[in-house]
């Protein structure tokens, strides 16, 4: 049974609550921080809302002569449109992958950085930890955002949707396991920060503890029910925990 901690605000030093101490315990064991992209790092569709991207994806695919399944018509999440089209066959999947990657790469030009994300990443680096991105968004779009924000050197690894097979996307543990393997790390040395139940499930299936980032009140309960090891509403709490601990790989 995974222990769960819901963290609201880290108190001042010397007054660490039991709940905040739970988050601190998770961070203290980590050498590698894995981050979901859309949510913990930025709001990818801040400038162009997801339903508009989904509609543009449907239009682009329709222009090629593809007849979309009825369930794709009302979808506001471009990733769900991609899944439905990709399930139609390999050729459809490759076309949907190309079109969605193009749309995501344009979308990151108007993405909004998540408050506290840059500070969290900097704190992780300064504490001797690596930071990697594990995302269902395309790796090309993620890398384009990092370059635009001048964060490329801060990120050790980007594992994105670089394959047209939707079965490899979270909640599959494939991407999380791939990151752990490339980092040559043990599962217990990593922590995954995500903002959805699919992130939590991917982490659990990969054997990596997950800190849920609830960027809306409704997500606190959802992430807790999904069995995130800790849930926070403010990335500054993770930053504080990172600053109070050093990577186990470093001397005290």
């Amino acid at each position: 049974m995974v222990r769960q901690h819901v963290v609201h605000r880290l108190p001042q030093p010397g007054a660490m609550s039991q709940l905040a101490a739970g988050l601190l315990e998770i961070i203290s064991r980590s050498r590698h921080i894995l981050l979901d992209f859309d949510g913990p790092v930025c709001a990818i569709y801040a400038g162009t809302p997801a339903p508009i991207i989904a509609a543009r994806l449907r239009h682009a695919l329709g222009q090629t002569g593809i007849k979309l399944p009825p369930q794709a018509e009302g979808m506001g999440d471009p990733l769900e449109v991609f899944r439905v089209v990709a399930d139609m066959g390999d050729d459809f999947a490759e076309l949907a992958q190309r079109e969605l990657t193009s749309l995501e790469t344009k979308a990151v030009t108007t993405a909004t950085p998540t408050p506290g994300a840059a500070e969290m990443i900097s704190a992780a680096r300064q504490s001797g930890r690596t930071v990697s991105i594990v995302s269902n968004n395309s790796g090309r779009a993620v890398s384009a955002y990092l370059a635009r924000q001048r964060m490329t050197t801060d990120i050790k690894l980007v594992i994105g949707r670089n394959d047209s097979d939707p079965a490899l996307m979270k909640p599959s543990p494939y991407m999380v396991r791939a990151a752990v393997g490339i980092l040559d790390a043990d599962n217990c040395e990593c922590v995954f920060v995500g903002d959805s139940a699919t992130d939590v499930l991917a982490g659990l299936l990969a054997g990596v503890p997950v800190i849920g980032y609830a960027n809306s009140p409704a997500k606190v309960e959802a992430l807790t029910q999904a069995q995130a090891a800790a849930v926070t509403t403010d990335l500054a709490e993770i930053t504080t925990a990172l600053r109070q601990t050093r990577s186990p790989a470093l001397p005290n």
Side-chain angles (χ1 to χ4, degrees):
M1 182 71 175
V2 178
R3 289 187 296 173
Q4 299 176 30
H5 306 275
V6 179
V7 182
H8 298 289
R9 291 283 176 185
L10 280 180
Q12 295 299 314
M16 184 69 71
S17 71
Q18 182 178 357
L19 293 178
L23 187 148
L24 187 64
E25 179 186 351
I26 296 165
I27 292 295
S28 69
R29 297 193 299 264
S30 68
R31 292 179 56 204
H32 307 283
I33 309 298
L34 312 180
L35 301 176
D36 181 35
F37 179 63
D38 186 20
V41 176
C42 72
I44 185 174
Y45 300 125
T48 309
I52 293 178
I53 299 295
R56 289 177 179 174
L57 177 58
R58 286 191 293 267
H59 177 75
L61 294 172
Q63 291 291 98
T64 68
I66 292 179
K67 182 175 176 58
L68 298 177
Q71 65 266 36
E73 293 303 323
M75 289 179 169
D77 183 345
L79 290 173
E80 291 308 309
V81 176
F82 167 76
R83 288 182 191 272
V84 169
V85 176
D87 284 341
M88 295 169 62
D90 291 345
D91 290 343
F92 299 105
E94 291 175 7
L95 179 58
Q97 166 72 348
R98 288 197 301 272
E99 294 293 346
L100 181 54
T101 295
S102 176
L103 289 167
E104 289 174 329
T105 303
K106 292 175 183 176
V108 299
T109 63
T110 56
T112 299
T114 300
E119 292 81 0
M120 174 181 63
I121 291 169
S122 177
R125 287 280 307 257
Q126 291 173 9
S127 69
R129 297 170 169 91
T130 71
V131 182
S132 299
I133 307 294
V134 180
S135 174
N136 279 347
N137 297 117
S138 73
R140 193 175 98 189
V142 174
S143 295
Y145 175 85
L146 296 175
R148 188 178 182 84
Q149 297 294 322
R150 299 181 180 180
M151 297 172 66
T152 302
T153 57
D154 295 326
I155 303 301
K156 175 77 171 179
L157 179 67
V158 173
I159 301 290
R161 194 194 68 250
N162 298 324
D163 193 288
S164 59
D165 184 358
L168 303 182
M169 295 166 59
K170 297 173 291 183
S172 164
Y174 175 83
M175 291 181 175
V176 180
R177 286 174 177 165
V180 173
I182 294 172
L183 292 167
D184 193 24
D186 292 331
N187 295 350
C188 62
E189 297 176 317
C190 303
V191 60
F192 183 32
V193 180
D195 72 334
S196 70
T198 57
D199 290 328
V200 177
L201 181 56
L204 290 176
L205 291 173
V208 172
V210 181
I211 295 175
Y213 170 51
N215 52 9
S216 69
K219 286 190 176 182
V220 172
E221 182 64 22
L223 292 168
T224 302
Q225 289 296 323
Q227 295 192 343
V231 178
T232 181
T233 59
D234 189 345
L235 294 182
E237 297 170 343
I238 299 176
T239 299
T240 299
L242 288 165
R243 288 173 176 164
Q244 292 183 3
T245 64
R246 290 170 64 82
S247 166
L250 293 177
N252 294 322

